[in-house]
Amino acid sequence: MAPDGGRPEGRGCSHLATLPDRPGEPSEVCASCRARGWTWIRLRWCATCGHVGCCDSSRGRHAYAHHARTGHPVVLSLAPDESWAWCYVDEVFLVREP
């Protein structure tokens, strides 16, 4: 992960140095939505523990709920057409380095 170069000076993620290289292999479902019979729009992957939850545009907002419950700061988008992460704590986008 790297800071988004389009952000104003001084805006950054204080958690970059603490993120593991890889939190494990992600699930392809939001387990909380599946248990309720719901669908999701996009999935987010917790960079700290590997939990997969649905995005804020989905009915359950389970990725954010996981952050609120655990304090884990950064999620990565699992959408094939997105290559970014979000830090909930610092409210900043991050980009995946190739």
Side-chain angles (χ1 to χ4, degrees), residues 9-33:
E9 187 70 29
R11 210 56 213 272
C13 174
S14 60
H15 305 95
L16 280 178
T18 65
L19 297 178
D21 288 335
R22 200 170 171 89
E25 289 301 317
S27 168
E28 295 180 9
V29 301
C30 175
S32 297
C33 281

Side-chain angles (χ1 to χ4, degrees), residues 14-95:
S14 60
H15 305 95
L16 280 178
T18 65
L19 297 178
D21 288 335
R22 200 170 171 89
E25 289 301 317
S27 168
E28 295 180 9
V29 301
C30 175
S32 297
C33 281
R34 177 168 275 176
R36 292 169 176 83
W38 298 349
T39 59
W40 53 88
I41 297 172
R42 298 207 175 222
L43 297 174
R44 306 294 182 235
W45 188 23
C46 177
T48 301
C49 72
H51 174 269
V52 174
C54 58
C55 69
D56 286 355
S57 297
S58 298
R59 181 178 180 181
R61 298 183 66 212
H62 292 115
Y64 179 78
H66 175 75
H67 157 70
R69 186 175 62 257
T70 64
H72 295 168
V74 178
V75 291
L76 289 74
S77 174
L78 288 178
D81 61 334
E82 297 176 342
S83 60
W84 55 264
W86 173 254
C87 178
Y88 288 111
V89 176
D90 296 316
E91 295 184 342
V92 66
F93 277 101
L94 306 166
V95 293

